[in-house]
Structure formats: structure tokens, C-alpha cells
């Protein structure tokens, strides 16, 4: 929403009274939207591309320092708090990414014999600076812990014993890929659900103490009436 409004304001600057600093700020935001944000936003829902997507986005933000160092530092600082996919387990999504080269996938298979680079208890990759991501690819985030990905989704990992150049002819690999492609990697659905509940509960009560029981009632109701069939709705609550 903010991106759309920023672009509209810039397109119709003749109809607004903007100071020089405001105009510069709007212009800076629009350049970032066009050069960085748009492509990233519309490719973020593809599960098999999630790890490489995050790595490339970090590298783009790092290089953006040449255009706007302030925005580059600010966005990098924010994004490094949300690195859920460049980690050993989630990085295994990239085994099924057709855009990852055969050479890179060979390095990924080799990296499966390496120890987990994360310390015990850590769930996300920590970057000390933008240079930490420079020159890296998804193989740098693969380790023996990546096998957990296959265990979590009950996928066969036997195809890893073959050369990556043959994977696209392997029926088990293709079956796994179809399963992996359906996994959601963004939290849009959860955010919409939270927003819907907030709006619903606000119409019923302003009290935080009363809001929790409402959620429990809705949950119990859904268990009692899991669908809208007539036979189900005739049941007594």
C-alpha cells in the first residue's frame, strides 16, 4: 500500500505542495521500489526459490549502497532479523530449484557432509556485515542438518546419491519437487487470519479479558461444525 501511494504521489507531484526534502524522500522510495522491491515482492512466494531468493536479495541490498547508502544500511539491518531460509534445513528447498546450476547443486551435495554452522539453539543465520553475504551462494548454507528437511516432509533423499545432472529424469526427485512446490513460504495467510480476528473481536468487545474467550468459542464452534452441510448444521451445539 505504501509503495503504491509513493508511486502515485511522485507521478502527480504537480498536484501536491511538497517541500524539497519531501520530494527527495518520495523519489528515493520510488527508486528503491523500481530497482529492488517490485521483483523481490512478486517472486517471494515461490517455495523452491526461497533460500536463493533471500541470498540474492541481501546481495542486491548490499550493492544498493552505491545508489543510496542510507536505505541500503536500513533495509539490510531490518532484513537480517528475518533470515529464515538461508539456514541448513530450509536451504534444502534449493535442491528442487531449476535455476540453481548443476555445479552449485554438486557443491550442495558435498556440503551435506559438513557440520551445522549454526550454534546450538540458533534458528537463524546471523550476519555481522553486508560483506558476510558477498560472493556466497546457497551451497554455503547447506550442512548435515539439511537432511532434516527431507525427514520433516517425509521425502526420499535417495536421489542425492546420483549426479545432479540426472535429477530431472529421476521420478522420485520429480515427485518430491511437486510436493515441495506446494509448501507455503510466506505468512500472508496467517497475517490475514490475525487481521480478520482483530476486526471481528473489536466489533464484539473492547475488553482484552473478554477477547480470549471469544477465540475459544469460535474454535469450539468450528470443531462442532466443520463444514456448512445441512446434516452438519442440524446438529445441536
Amino acid at each position: 500500500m505504501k509503495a503504491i501511494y509513493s508511486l502515485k504521489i511522485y507521478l502527480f507531484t504537480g498536484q501536491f505542495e511538497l517541500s524539497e526534502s519531501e520530494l527527495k524522500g518520495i523519489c528515493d522510495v520510488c527508486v528503491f521500489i523500481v530497482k529492488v522491491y517490485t521483483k523481490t515482492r512478486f517472486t517471494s512466494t515461490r517455495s523452491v526459490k526461497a533460500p536463493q531468493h533471500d541470498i540474492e536479495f541481501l546481495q542486491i541490498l548490499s550493492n544498493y549502497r552505491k545508489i543510496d547508502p542510507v536505505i541500503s544500511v536500513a533495509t539490510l539491518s531490518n532484513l537480517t532479523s528475518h533470515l529464515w531460509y538461508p539456514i541448513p534445513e530450509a536451504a534444502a528447498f534449493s535442491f528442487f530449484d531449476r535455476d540453481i546450476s548443476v555445479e552449485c547443486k554438486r557443491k550442495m551435495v558435498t556440503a551435506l557432509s559438513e557440520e551445522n554452522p549454526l550454534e546450538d539453539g540458533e534458528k537463524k543465520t546471523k550476519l555481522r556485515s553486508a560483506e558476510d553475504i558477498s560472493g556466497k551462494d546457497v551451497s554455503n548454507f547447506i550442512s548435515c542438518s539439511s537432511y532434516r528437511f527431507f525427514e520433516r516432509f517425509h521425502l526420499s533423499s535417495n536421489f542425492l546419491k546420483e549426479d545432479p545432472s540426472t535429477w530431472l529424469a529421476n521420478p522420485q526427485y520429480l515427485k518430491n519437487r511437486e510436493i515441495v512446490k506446494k509448501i507455503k513460504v510466506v505468512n500472508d495467510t496467517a497475517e490475514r487470519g490475525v487481521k480478520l480476528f482483530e476486526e471481528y473481536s473489536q466489533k464484539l468487545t473492547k475488553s482484552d479479558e473478554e477477547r480470549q474467550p471469544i477465540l475459544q468459542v469460535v474454535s469450539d464452534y468450528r470443531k462442532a461444525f466443520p463444514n456448512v452441510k445441512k446434516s452438519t448444521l442440524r446438529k445441536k451445539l
Side-chain angles (χ1 to χ4, degrees):
M1 187 183 298
K2 291 179 181 179
I4 292 172
Y5 284 147
S6 296
L7 292 170
K8 284 184 176 180
I9 291 172
Y10 186 78
L11 288 171
F12 297 100
T13 49
Q15 300 181 31
F16 295 93
E17 293 184 4
L18 300 176
S19 65
E20 186 175 340
S21 62
E22 289 174 334
L23 183 59
K24 182 182 182 303
I26 287 293
C27 181
D28 290 342
V29 171
C30 290
V31 171
F32 178 80
I33 292 169
V34 173
K35 286 187 170 290
V36 178
Y37 179 79
T38 303
K39 179 183 177 181
T40 303
R41 175 64 183 86
F42 287 102
T43 57
S44 62
T45 58
R46 301 174 185 175
S47 60
V48 296
K49 299 185 181 299
Q52 187 65 19
H53 179 279
D54 280 6
I55 295 168
E56 290 177 352
F57 188 37
L58 286 167
Q59 293 170 343
I60 290 171
L61 290 177
S62 178
N63 293 331
Y64 198 72
R65 286 179 296 178
K66 300 174 183 177
I67 299 175
D68 193 319
V70 175
I71 289 181
S72 174
V73 171
T75 51
L76 273 171
S77 176
N78 183 276
L79 187 64
T80 50
S81 300
H82 303 278
L83 296 180
W84 295 105
Y85 293 100
I87 61 173
E89 182 175 340
F93 271 110
S94 293
F95 281 111
F96 303 96
D97 184 357
R98 290 191 176 185
D99 291 335
I100 301 293
S101 68
V102 171
E103 290 74 17
C104 182
K105 286 179 178 175
R106 285 174 180 148
K107 291 195 294 182
M108 291 167 63
V109 173
T110 301
L112 285 169
S113 60
E114 299 177 1
E115 294 296 323
N116 188 345
L118 298 182
E119 296 180 5
D120 291 340
E122 288 186 338
K123 294 183 178 181
K124 296 186 292 184
T125 298
K126 295 181 180 179
L127 299 179
R128 292 167 294 179
S129 66
E131 284 69 27
D132 286 354
I133 201 69
S134 178
K136 291 187 176 181
D137 58 37
V138 71
S139 67
N140 295 108
F141 299 90
I142 295 291
S143 75
C144 59
S145 297
S146 299
Y147 279 111
R148 295 176 187 169
F149 176 87
F150 299 95
E151 297 170 359
R152 185 180 300 277
F153 296 107
H154 306 290
L155 303 174
S156 171
S157 60
N158 290 334
F159 70 89
L160 295 170
K161 300 175 183 177
E162 301 179 9
D163 188 79
S165 61
T166 67
W167 287 354
L168 291 177
N170 186 311
Q172 186 61 61
Y173 174 83
L174 296 175
K175 181 180 178 181
N176 288 351
R177 187 172 186 274
E178 290 305 309
I179 294 172
V180 172
K181 284 169 62 178
K182 296 176 182 178
I183 300 173
K184 293 183 180 297
V185 293
V186 292
N187 61 353
D188 290 4
T189 303
E191 288 181 351
R192 291 192 187 103
V194 171
K195 180 63 175 176
L196 179 62
F197 171 71
E198 288 178 348
E199 292 179 350
Y200 174 72
S201 62
Q202 287 290 340
K203 293 182 181 299
L204 298 178
T205 179
K206 301 295 183 182
S207 171
D208 290 336
E209 294 182 359
E210 295 177 352
R211 192 170 291 120
Q212 187 62 32
I214 291 175
L215 184 59
Q216 293 173 347
V217 170
V218 172
S219 177
D220 291 341
Y221 187 89
R222 284 184 172 179
K223 291 178 182 178
F225 301 95
N227 55 60
V228 293
K229 294 180 179 179
K230 289 183 178 180
S231 58
T232 301
L233 296 177
R234 288 196 183 103
K235 295 180 180 179
K236 292 183 179 180
L237 182 62

